[in-house]
């Protein structure tokens, strides 16, 4: 009896990873271009608002330079309880992560940026 609108995406971890591969592939599915060419590059990049750079695309968060050179060009979708979809086009890496943090903000045992960077470095 309680509706929720404006948030949430219910899918299996495998589905999140498959969506990540769709994004990494520039929006092509089944050999067909679904998204306009170049849209993901635009969606995954920072925007300028009132003269200042905002590290936010269209529902995607570009990795900031302060996160380290290993993340250059990467971006991610972030869930409030520790879910991530990390896309690194240059390195051809997709990481789908589920977590179950007890609160939307608070203690995180391992910083996601450190984990994602270690995976990218290990695959390089």
């Amino acid at each position: 009896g309680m509706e929720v609108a404006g948030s949430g995406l219910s899918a299996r971890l495998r589905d999140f990873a498959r969506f990540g591969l769709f994004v990494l592939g520039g929006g092509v599915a089944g050999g067909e271009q679904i998204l306009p060419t170049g849209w993901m590059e635009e969606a995954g990049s920072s925007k300028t608002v009132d003269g200042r750079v905002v590290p936010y695309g269209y529902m995607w968060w570009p990795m900031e330079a302060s996160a380290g050179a290993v993340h250059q060009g990467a971006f991610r979708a972030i869930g409030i309880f520790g879910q991530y979809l990390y896309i690194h086009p240059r390195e051809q890496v997709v990481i789908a992560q589920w977590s179950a943090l007890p609160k939307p903000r608070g203690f995180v045992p391992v910083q996601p940026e450190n984990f994602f960077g270690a995976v990218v470095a290990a695959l390089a």
Side-chain angles (χ1 to χ4, degrees), residues 4-111:
V4 176
S7 68
L9 178 63
S10 181
R12 297 178 298 170
L13 183 60
R14 176 183 168 147
D15 295 328
F16 278 99
R18 290 176 67 203
F19 182 69
L21 291 172
F22 168 76
V23 169
L24 181 68
V28 174
E32 182 179 348
Q33 184 71 47
I34 305 299
L35 297 176
T37 302
W39 192 85
M40 278 313 309
E41 290 82 9
E42 173 68 20
S45 62
S46 297
K47 305 296 173 256
T48 301
V49 178
D50 296 330
R52 65 181 180 90
V53 175
V54 178
Y56 182 70
Y58 310 140
M59 300 302 288
W60 296 97
W61 298 90
M63 298 294 293
E64 297 184 66
S66 62
V70 69
H71 298 296
Q72 185 177 2
F75 54 93
R76 59 196 170 161
I78 304 171
I80 65 170
F81 291 102
Q83 306 87 349
Y84 291 90
L85 185 53
Y86 174 88
I87 314 288
H88 199 316
R90 184 186 75 217
E91 299 297 333
Q92 295 289 289
V93 172
V94 171
I95 300 172
Q97 173 186 315
W98 270 358
S99 298
L101 300 176
K103 295 182 179 182
R105 295 185 184 268
F107 176 74
V108 179
V110 175
Q111 292 299 318

